């Protein structure tokens, strides 16, 4: 096991992913050689701020819904913090990526590395964010924005020298679940209702069914691979008009990206295509490289511990690079 | 790009993989920050020894089939070499892993790291080899033994903290090609002949069709994951008796391993199983972990540049860890 530095970690946003990270980090830090590292502060607009982060205090903290604070107070807490890593787990906003963007900016400018699972700032304001990070000599890691902890764009870390040529993917579990259930005979609206009742789709399903979530992932992958496709220039078509027959013939909501273009749209995949056989909420990515041709990674694209694994991967990556 | 040391690399075995590595390393070393590193020596029992490794000399070297040398001469060349990394690309031998094992031992004992794509020494003599490596403070890397350069057991490098629970895989491309062609109507013997004519199967197909190659991979994965299943204790059943009907109903040559057992045998996979849809020479691995559940990696499991990518991955991994 490689030697690690000792880290003081501030968690911003203590919903499902934040709590998952708290549990996973504490369960695994000894095995990772991070026994000296601690989650030292937690802040969430609903529960306020705390620096008492042992289990019993955290349970109490989650009951204190009367201590809500504003996003500008959160920014002040970040600036004042003596943490060296900020983990940002707040909600996604595809309009201007706020308040997550301001949180990350405050963290970087006060000398902290940033780990996030939030697609907004990475899909919409990647260059701006990387510029701030580089000006301050800090890192931004965001594995959890594409396929949760399942290897996705970071699989290239295992392929030094390989150059990505093109990407296809099934990167939105909600729509893949709906299409899978439709291929088994359900109507679109019944499949959507079922996805909502199982917690896969939100009450307002727009971001998923209209393809915006998938487009954000196309933008993120493009940035990582050095292709310039900002989210607002990615052509997007969702699944609202897909029929049960189309679903049964192997229609999937496909994400595509190469150097020249990026798009999201329903596409019929033929039976010999491995991606056609990705069922339910599972995610999958096909990356074509110059040395290996097409390789695939598949697995969960969401979930409490599954997404926390991504943040843990980012944490160890930052720790080892110091 | 991280800073790298400068390496002097000795290549043992200059067949398809050795030549692929020579080409790939020279094409990619600048991009990898390894411009100061060189392949300084090449040795092959058929072509003899050379330390003139520029392209024109290597072309000449490959014509010199009258300079054959013995395996004990190869061992002497390894001991006398001033390389710091030995890349071993000789043939597989499931009886005693020789002469590859002696080459690796000589390399480690003379202070060199070892990279190999040879399954024999890792499947049969893992503990012995790791003991020698540890005694000499050197590393042995062997990504290419399972799924060539396609991420396989090393995908856990991207999942710090995750614990592997069980593995299933389609890890032999030759038998998967034969079964795929049988499912399309060919007889076993016609499918085998076709695989041989396309270079997927050897003249003596025993290692593939009787499952020994797959069993070697089960043993290697088990060692990496800390499960103790030496190759000679793995139950193996091959595909010689599979009928066209069984192939058409989704029979695959499956590799299985967990803490308690490891086996290789034909198994019918149902339609909802992603592994059923892995066609032709493609390889696939399913790894179940405590944090992510089941994740999958798929891609080529053989090939000149595809296997050379594995050795390049190992090389960069060793270089970064120093």
């Amino acid at each position: 096991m490689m030697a690690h530095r000792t880290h003081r970690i501030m968690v911003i946003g203590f919903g499902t992913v934040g709590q998952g990270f708290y549990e996973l980090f504490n369960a695994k830090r000894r095995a990772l050689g991070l026994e000296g590292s601690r989650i030292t502060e937690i802040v969430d607009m609903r529960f306020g701020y705390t620096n008492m982060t042992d289990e019993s205090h955290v349970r109490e903290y989650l009951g204190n819904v009367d201590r809500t604070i504003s996003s500008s107070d959160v920014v002040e807490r970040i600036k004042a913090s003596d943490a060296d890593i900020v983990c940002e787990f707040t909600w996604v906003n595809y309009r201007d990526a706020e308040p997550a963007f301001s949180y990350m900016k405050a963290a970087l400018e006060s000398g902290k590395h940033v780990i996030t699972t939030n697609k907004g700032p990475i899909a919409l304001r990647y260059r701006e964010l990387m510029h701030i990070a580089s000006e301050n000599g800090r890192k931004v890691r965001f594995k959890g924005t594409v396929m949760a902890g399942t290897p996705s764009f970071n699989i290239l870390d295992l392929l030094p020298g390989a150059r990505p040529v093109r990407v296809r993917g099934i990167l939105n579990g909600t729509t893949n679940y709906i299409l899978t259930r439709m291929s088994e005979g359900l109507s679109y609206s019944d499949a959507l209702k079922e996805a909502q009742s199982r917690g896969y789709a939100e009450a307002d399903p727009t971001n998923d069914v209209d393809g915006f979530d998938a487009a954000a992932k196309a933008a993120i992958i493009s940035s990582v691979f050095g292709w310039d496709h900002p989210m607002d220039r990615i052509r997007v078509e969702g699944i609202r008009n897909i029929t049960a027959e189309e679903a049964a013939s192997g229609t999937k909501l496909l994400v595509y990206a190469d150097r020249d273009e990026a798009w999201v749209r329903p596409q019929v995949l033929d039976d010999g295509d491995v991606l056609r056989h990705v069922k339910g909420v599972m995610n999958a990515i096909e990356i074509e490289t110059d040395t290996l041709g097409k390789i695939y990674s598949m697995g969960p694209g969401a979930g409490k511990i599954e997404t926390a694994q991504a943040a843990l991967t980012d944490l160890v990556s930052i720790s080892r690079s110091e």
Side-chain angles (χ1 to χ4, degrees), chain A:
Chain A
M1 184 59 60
M2 220 174 290
H4 288 275
R5 286 194 44 206
T6 293
H7 300 286
R8 297 174 64 81
I9 301 161
M10 182 184 209
V11 171
I12 316 283
F14 209 61
T16 305
V17 176
Q19 292 176 46
F21 179 73
Y22 177 90
E23 288 167 25
L24 186 65
F25 173 77
N26 285 320
K28 299 288 189 180
R29 67 190 164 85
R30 211 153 300 155
L32 291 168
L34 292 167
E35 47 274 271
S37 298
R38 288 281 181 282
I39 293 171
T40 49
E41 295 166 88
I42 300 171
V43 58
D44 185 297
M45 286 176 67
R46 291 163 296 179
F47 312 118
Y49 169 88
T50 187
N51 57 14
M52 296 192 293
T53 58
D54 60 291
E55 263 185 61
S56 66
H57 279 101
V58 163
R59 236 184 327 257
E60 199 181 300
Y61 169 77
L62 282 168
N64 278 324
V65 285
D66 53 341
R67 295 200 302 193
T68 59
I69 61 171
S70 70
S71 61
S72 57
D73 287 340
V74 174
V75 168
E76 292 312 310
R77 288 293 189 180
I78 294 169
K79 286 182 183 165
S81 166
D82 67 352
D84 63 317
I85 297 179
V86 165
C87 292
E88 193 281 327
F89 299 131
T90 71
W91 65 94
V92 73
N93 165 355
Y94 290 132
R95 203 169 22 84
D96 60 5
E98 291 294 0
F101 186 86
S102 295
Y103 297 165
M104 295 183 195
K105 185 169 184 282
L108 294 166
E109 289 177 348
S110 58
K112 301 162 180 75
H113 298 297
V114 168
I115 292 167
T116 188
T117 56
N118 191 325
K119 293 174 287 287
I122 312 299
L124 295 177
R125 302 173 76 175
Y126 182 80
R127 285 189 181 191
E128 201 180 345
L129 200 60
M130 291 304 145
H131 180 73
I132 299 167
S134 137
E135 291 276 292
N136 290 280
R138 298 291 92 184
K139 296 188 172 77
V140 179
R141 291 280 152 94
F142 48 88
K143 169 61 198 79
T145 58
V146 181
M147 294 175 69
T150 303
S152 56
F153 53 75
N154 64 330
I155 214 160
L156 288 183
D157 294 353
L158 300 180
L159 304 173
R163 191 174 50 81
V165 175
R166 76 177 56 80
V167 168
R168 296 190 313 145
I170 294 173
L171 300 177
N172 180 271
T174 309
T175 48
N176 203 54
Y177 181 84
I178 292 171
L179 292 172
T180 301
R181 295 294 285 138
M182 286 174 71
S183 77
E184 293 162 359
L186 262 64
S187 69
Y188 171 78
S189 64
D190 284 347
L192 173 59
K193 266 178 223 146
E194 190 178 274
Q196 286 167 325
S197 76
R198 301 187 83 165
Y200 300 149
E202 291 174 65
D204 174 359
T206 302
N207 277 344
D208 291 320
V209 301
D210 291 325
F212 301 125
D213 173 85
K217 289 160 180 167
I220 293 167
I221 291 167
S222 296
S223 292
V224 174
F225 288 174
W227 305 331
D228 192 22
H229 305 304
M231 188 169 167
D232 58 10
R233 279 196 271 147
I234 291 175
R235 284 176 294 130
V236 185
E237 190 187 325
I239 64 158
R240 284 190 203 262
N241 299 319
I242 299 301
T243 64
E245 290 67 38
E246 289 170 320
S249 345
T251 298
K252 295 287 189 184
L253 184 63
L254 202 73
V255 169
Y256 179 89
D258 63 21
R259 181 166 293 282
D260 300 322
E261 57 172 339
W263 46 257
V264 174
R265 64 168 180 252
Q267 198 162 76
V268 183
L269 304 183
D270 62 51
D271 196 61
D273 190 335
V274 176
L275 294 184
R276 172 164 172 164
H277 305 284
V278 174
K279 301 279 171 67
V281 292
M282 193 190 277
N283 282 21
I285 191 168
E286 172 193 277
I287 305 178
E288 189 172 336
T289 70
D290 60 340
T291 61
L292 289 178
K294 293 173 181 169
I295 60 165
Y296 300 82
S297 175
M298 303 183 184
K304 181 179 182 177
I305 297 300
E306 293 86 343
T307 308
Q309 171 71 65
L312 196 62
T313 294
D314 286 342
L315 175 64
V316 171
S317 160
I318 287 175
S319 188
R320 289 193 178 155
S321 69
E322 292 212 309

